Amino acid sequence: MADRGCFRKVKNMTRFSLIILVSLLTHALTKAQEPFTLKGTIDTTENAVYHFYYEVGGVGVRDTIQLKQYGAFEISGYIKEPTFVYISIEDKYNPRVVGDFIVYETWVEPGREHIFNGFRDWKKGKRNFEITDSQTEVLARKWLKLRDLEDTEKKASDQSCFLEEHLDSYFVLQVLYDKLRRNEDLSLVRDLLSRMPAHLQNTFRYNQCQDMLAVKDNLSIGSIFPDFEQADTSSNMHRLSDIRKNKFILVDFWASWCGPCRAESPYLIEAYNRYHKKGFDIIGVSLDEDRERWIEAIHEDKQTWHHVSDLKGFDNAVAKSLYIRSIPSNFLLDPTGKIIARDIRGEELTRLLGEILN
């Protein structure tokens, strides 16, 4: 039988081993990332509170600071790849915006110290500033100029040339990611992703794009929509497959704070009232975080169909698994769960149901 002194030594060695393991893991994570610094001035009232938000590997990082004298600020962190930073302030300027008002948005890069100078009249544009040492930001501004071209033919041609010329840049990878989010030009996205250099194929964003493509393949017309289960406004769990039995059903991703979503309510109500008794139903999946606002919006808009949510915003488990990153977004399913249409707007839903159910 081992004595207590021996047991104590083993226990202490185990604790010591855990400390070493944690240190090694922390060192490995830090080594995988590189520091960045963003500092300079923002032209606003002294001592104003500003919020900084960016993501590292899909996980949000928030930093709130109080401006120093003459609007000076400094934030720093660790990132693995070029990263988009939102700089916001409490919203007192746009009644249509829910949450903070984004004043600036810019790109920072690993291993860089960026000097930032926010200009006067910052409310006129989110890029009304200068920033040093950010090649990603330089490309972003060039892309925005192309996006604003009025000649549609020239715009398409110039954008295509831009993507080809900068195929080795992280910014083009971000453009492809945005196209995937909007379900645009999927064949183009596949082609350009396949030709990207190895250093980009090892990034989080590249792998995310590949995952999104796989999900979108499974959400194409004719595919079976994945089953899911979430809680209703009374915290009772509901499964899509149970609601869907023998019905055509619209899976509608929305939120109380989403103006375009709320604008679709009259069209959804018209379709529901006309075709519910003929075998049509709706399940609204809310990307809200505030339960009271969610329920209030349902009552205000007179939405009498099924509603579910886990109240995690864009981290909603269903939306996240399907890479739903913009709303409104919807899928029309037949009684077997097969997708027969998606992202239907306005009177199109009523027209389509008329063809199917009349």
Side-chain angles (χ1 to χ4, degrees):
M1 180 172 131
D3 64 28
R4 291 186 179 180
C6 181
F7 176 76
R8 191 177 296 114
K9 288 179 181 178
V10 171
K11 187 175 180 181
N12 288 338
M13 286 178 66
T14 303
R15 185 181 296 117
F16 182 68
S17 298
L18 284 173
I19 291 172
I20 291 176
L21 179 60
V22 171
S23 298
L24 288 172
L25 287 172
T26 302
H27 176 72
L29 287 172
T30 304
K31 191 175 180 181
Q33 299 176 349
E34 293 185 63
F36 81 91
T37 302
L38 181 65
K39 65 180 182 180
T41 57
I42 296 175
D43 181 50
T44 186
T45 53
E46 291 181 9
N47 301 318
V49 174
Y50 268 76
H51 310 286
F52 295 76
Y53 176 83
Y54 58 96
E55 292 186 358
V56 178
V59 178
V61 179
R62 299 180 188 276
D63 196 354
T64 299
I65 66 167
Q66 190 168 24
L67 297 183
K68 301 174 184 177
Q69 190 176 20
Y70 306 117
F73 76 94
E74 179 174 339
I75 67 162
S76 59
Y78 287 86
I79 55 178
K80 293 182 179 181
E81 49 202 66
T83 300
F84 200 53
V85 177
Y86 297 92
I87 306 173
S88 61
I89 195 169
E90 181 184 354
D91 182 30
K92 299 177 182 177
Y93 312 99
N94 188 345
R96 295 176 297 176
V97 172
V98 176
D100 294 332
F101 182 86
I102 298 174
V103 179
Y104 306 108
E105 41 188 49
T106 189
W107 285 91
V108 296
E109 298 178 352
R112 306 286 187 181
E113 180 178 276
H114 302 287
I115 307 301
F116 186 97
N117 179 28
F119 297 151
R120 294 184 180 277
D121 298 325
W122 48 260
K123 285 186 286 184
K124 291 184 178 179
K126 295 174 185 176
R127 278 188 157 77
N128 194 15
F129 61 87
E130 290 177 342
I131 184 172
T132 63
D133 216 14
S134 176
Q135 182 60 28
T136 315
E137 176 66 26
V138 171
L139 293 178
R141 295 187 181 211
K142 289 181 178 178
W143 179 256
L144 286 174
K145 287 182 179 179
L146 295 178
R147 199 180 67 181
D148 292 339
L149 289 175
E150 294 183 2
D151 186 331
T152 55
E153 188 173 332
K154 179 174 173 54
K155 178 193 293 189
S157 174
D158 287 359
Q159 286 184 343
S160 178
C161 289
F162 177 94
L163 295 176
E164 289 286 350
E165 289 174 7
H166 300 287
L167 195 56
D168 63 343
S169 72
Y170 188 92
F171 180 74
V172 167
L173 180 56
Q174 180 65 34
V175 171
L176 300 183
Y177 171 75
D178 291 337
K179 285 181 176 293
L180 280 169
R181 288 176 55 188
R182 297 190 296 268
N183 210 41
E184 294 177 358
D185 303 326
L186 296 189
S187 59
L188 172 67
V189 171
R190 288 181 196 278
D191 174 54
L192 294 182
L193 283 174
S194 70
R195 295 193 282 119
M196 283 194 149
H199 74 92
L200 290 176
Q201 294 189 22
N202 292 326
T203 61
F204 171 81
R205 185 65 86 207
Y206 182 90
N207 290 325
Q208 196 176 32
C209 286
Q210 294 291 6
D211 289 344
M212 288 174 73
L213 278 173
V215 168
K216 287 182 181 297
D217 285 341
N218 292 328
L219 292 178
S220 59
I221 303 300
S223 300
I224 298 295
F225 193 86
D227 201 11
F228 65 85
E229 184 179 45
Q230 282 199 352
D232 65 12
T233 56
S234 300
S235 299
N236 298 315
M237 300 302 292
H238 292 274
R239 184 171 289 279
L240 171 64
S241 54
D242 293 335
I243 297 171
R244 196 194 67 223
K245 287 181 179 177
N246 302 317
K247 297 176 185 175
F248 288 84
I249 189 163
L250 186 77
V251 182
D252 182 45
F253 293 89
W254 75 294
S256 66
W257 45 261
C258 169
C261 302
R262 303 288 293 273
E264 289 293 319
S265 284
Y267 301 107
L268 297 181
I269 291 170
E270 179 185 0
Y272 183 83
N273 289 342
R274 185 174 297 187
Y275 293 109
H276 179 58
K277 291 182 179 179
K278 293 186 177 183
F280 170 66
D281 213 336
I282 302 175
I283 179 168
V285 183
S286 170
L287 273 57
D288 274 285
E289 296 182 7
D290 188 307
R291 176 180 293 277
E292 290 184 7
R293 288 185 179 179
W294 173 39
I295 295 174
E296 183 181 342
I298 292 170
H299 291 309
E300 281 183 0
D301 291 1
K302 299 180 174 59
Q303 299 179 352
T304 56
W305 46 84
H306 304 278
H307 287 278
V308 298
S309 180
D310 59 12
L311 297 173
K312 294 181 180 179
F314 273 104
D315 285 330
N316 178 286
V318 183
K320 201 168 183 179
S321 69
L322 302 178
Y323 285 99
I324 304 294
R325 301 301 297 169
S326 61
I327 50 177
S329 181
N330 59 48
F331 299 83
L332 182 62
L333 316 181
D334 73 5
T336 69
K338 185 186 297 182
I339 301 170
I340 57 176
R342 63 173 300 175
D343 293 331
I344 310 165
R345 299 285 182 268
E347 298 175 352
E348 179 65 15
L349 178 60
T350 299
R351 186 197 65 76
L352 189 57
L353 290 171
E355 294 177 357
I356 296 170
L357 296 172
N358 280 338

